Amino acid sequence: MADPVAMTQLEVADYDLGLRGKLVRSAKTRPGSSLAFCTIVYGLSVTDDVTDTPFSSADNGYPDAVLVPDESTRIPLPWRPGTDAVIAELVDADRRPLDLSPRAVLGNLTAGYAELGLAPVLGFEYEMWIFEASDARSTVLPGYAARGRTENAYSLTRGAEIHSLATEFVNRMDQVGIEVEMFHAELGPGFFEFTLAPEAAVRAADNAVRARQYLRDLCAERGLHASFMAKPFADKSGAGGHVHSSLTRDGVNVFSDGAGALSAEGAHYLAGLLNGMADTSVMLNPGINSYKRIDPEMFTPSTASWGYDDRSTAARVLLGDAASARVEHRRPGADANPYVVAAALLAAGLHGLRERLALPDPGAEPAPLPGDLGAALAQFENSTWVADLLGKRFCASYSATRRGELERYEQWLRTTITNWELHRHLEHQ
């Protein structure tokens, strides 16, 4: 019988974009077929600079690995007739997902929670910029102008301006089983936010990477560009990628004690998030620009603080309803890969649970968090616990890509004469 779908979009997790992939004849992606993908995927920057890692480099020729689709993630793409999509993992000789993959790391962490009788649930929300082509009104780069004329948060007028796009996006996500709970205007030029319904951890991250990618695709169809850059405007808010997390046991939320306070598990998990936030900052804020978003006056915390329903803190605890009790992690930027962010949260939380870490008083002086990529990378590399939970191979590979990004920026800084230097020195010296 002929395959009813002509083409399949193979989707593979990387460290920066979220998903990369190929369009392949569907018959070649079905169980029993042979697929391969280049391991260079774990060494590519957003602009395809190549960082050699200990596992994929010029020395070993950037080898292929076998690629196995996860059939539970196969979905039709109704807006692209004859095409479906499936998330696939690079695997080793034993057909186990490579431990370089952030999605595989996330799956391993959920197994660690299962050993404690727990299952983490995550809900992602993203702020993003939507631009349209117009050289005359460009305020960022030539050819990019903010979508919409006003900058009001929660503006109904701006909601009306974006209504057609937002409705089409929500409908498309419904068609592939991803629930978008909200879509609204944020405070900034062409600045909007969408929120995804909470799901089990791996499914939640799958939904997040797909929603981001499919929104970018939809915008491109309409001559628009959706950007998850952390800070394109120096004097405006940055784009957050906040994550709500809770713990369940047998499908029941156990983050609170049911009487308006944290449960023992909830307290240890939250203590882990706080204790591990500095060590995992490079996963939450992965680039040079990521740290330009950090500004407490714009609700982006610089310390590992927590509080009850307090948006000025890094960990905002919500316990009003026991069934939806959770903590909102406000440090991640929209520019961070959802799989990497989820792995950072769950690793820190699991560390707190296993070590039964004590939760500091919400009024205690919080620990400072790294303020730039170099400091965050050093904290990550010197951590005493991160590699044990994330895996040494993933940490070595991810660290190499961050160091490559930092070195490229420092090289640019050393060799570029900036406008600041010209304005300051050319005429006056």
Side-chain angles (χ1 to χ4, degrees):
M1 179 179 175
D3 195 321
V5 178
M7 302 297 289
T8 291
Q9 179 170 283
L10 288 172
E11 300 174 339
V12 180
D14 71 350
Y15 291 161
D16 279 298
L17 295 179
L19 292 174
R20 292 179 185 255
K22 299 177 179 180
L23 200 60
V24 180
R25 285 188 176 276
S26 292
K28 293 183 176 293
T29 71
R30 301 297 177 180
S33 300
S34 179
L35 293 165
F37 206 89
C38 184
T39 53
I40 201 172
V41 69
Y42 301 126
L44 296 176
S45 75
V46 291
T47 57
D48 281 355
D49 305 293
V50 178
T51 297
D52 283 357
T53 72
F55 317 104
S56 185
S57 65
D59 288 341
N60 68 5
Y62 308 105
D64 279 352
V66 173
L67 188 69
V68 176
D70 178 349
E71 289 299 324
S72 71
T73 68
R74 192 181 290 270
I75 54 174
L77 300 179
W79 57 92
R80 291 167 62 180
T83 305
D84 67 5
V86 67
I87 297 173
E89 287 280 20
L90 280 68
V91 302
D92 61 20
D94 296 322
R95 310 284 286 188
R96 293 175 302 193
L98 290 185
D99 50 10
L100 308 179
S101 161
R103 186 173 188 265
V105 170
L106 181 57
N108 292 338
L109 288 166
T110 63
Y113 280 83
E115 292 172 1
L116 301 176
L118 298 170
V121 172
L122 304 179
F124 289 82
E125 57 184 44
Y126 284 103
E127 295 165 334
M128 73 287 175
W129 314 89
I130 298 180
F131 297 108
E132 56 190 10
S134 173
D135 289 338
R137 293 197 296 128
S138 178
T139 54
V140 187
L141 291 172
Y144 287 92
R147 178 71 167 180
R149 295 182 299 277
T150 60
E151 298 186 18
N152 319 88
Y154 307 118
S155 167
L156 295 178
T157 299
R158 294 181 66 205
E161 289 177 340
I162 206 77
H163 177 80
S164 173
L165 177 73
T167 301
E168 177 66 14
F169 172 59
V170 173
N171 287 341
R172 285 189 179 186
M173 294 307 93
D174 271 351
Q175 290 175 324
V176 297
I178 299 174
E179 182 181 348
V180 180
E181 293 186 326
M182 282 181 276
F183 194 111
H184 64 86
E186 269 291 351
L187 181 55
F191 201 26
F192 297 91
E193 177 179 333
F194 68 84
T195 301
L196 300 177
E199 293 279 1
V202 176
R203 172 66 186 271
D206 287 345
N207 287 355
V209 292
R210 281 176 154 170
R212 287 158 51 103
Q213 182 62 50
Y214 298 166
L215 176 61
R216 287 171 63 89
D217 295 347
L218 172 60
C219 285
E221 290 174 25
R222 296 185 174 210
L224 303 172
H225 175 70
S227 174
F228 293 88
M229 181 178 178
K231 187 78 169 180
F233 300 95
D235 61 341
K236 307 295 182 185
S237 297
H242 302 165
V243 185
H244 295 251
S245 59
S246 61
L247 302 172
T248 63
R249 177 175 285 114
D250 298 325
V252 177
N253 189 323
V254 294
F255 194 73
S256 84
D257 64 1
L262 285 163
S263 65
E265 292 97 338
H268 292 318
Y269 175 85
L270 177 57
L273 290 189
L274 300 171
N275 180 269
M277 204 174 294
D279 287 3
T280 59
S281 279
V282 76
M283 301 172 72
L284 310 174
N285 311 113
I288 296 294
N289 181 257
S290 305
Y291 295 87
K292 296 184 178 182
R293 166 181 163 263
I294 308 303
D295 183 352
E297 292 188 3
M298 292 188 176
F299 302 100
T300 308
S302 59
T303 62
S305 54
W306 77 281
Y308 294 103
D309 200 7
D310 184 349
R311 284 183 169 83
S312 70
T313 62
R316 174 185 172 225
V317 177
L318 298 162
L319 299 178
D321 175 20
S324 60
R326 63 197 187 278
V327 56
E328 178 190 15
H329 200 317
R330 297 178 59 80
R331 177 74 178 199
D335 55 336
N337 182 312
Y339 293 119
V340 175
V341 169
L345 266 66
L346 294 197
L350 186 57
H351 180 62
L353 286 161
R354 285 179 171 173
E355 300 300 320
R356 302 184 68 79
L357 297 181
L359 181 64
D361 184 89
E365 186 68 23
L369 297 174
D372 60 69
L373 181 58
L377 180 57
Q379 190 96 23
F380 180 78
E381 291 178 335
N382 294 325
S383 173
T384 59
W385 62 273
V386 162
D388 290 337
L389 287 177
L390 295 174
K392 291 181 173 60
R393 282 165 53 88
F394 169 81
C395 288
S397 183
Y398 184 75
S399 179
T401 65
R402 298 312 97 190
R403 188 156 300 286
E405 188 76 357
L406 181 60
E407 289 173 353
R408 282 185 285 270
Y409 177 71
E410 290 175 342
Q411 172 70 11
W412 177 88
L413 208 55
R414 284 193 300 270
T415 59
T416 299
I417 309 303
T418 64
N419 285 337
W420 186 88
E421 294 168 275
L422 292 173
H423 285 300
R424 189 172 184 85
H425 300 295
L426 187 63
E427 182 177 346
H428 301 97
Q429 288 185 322

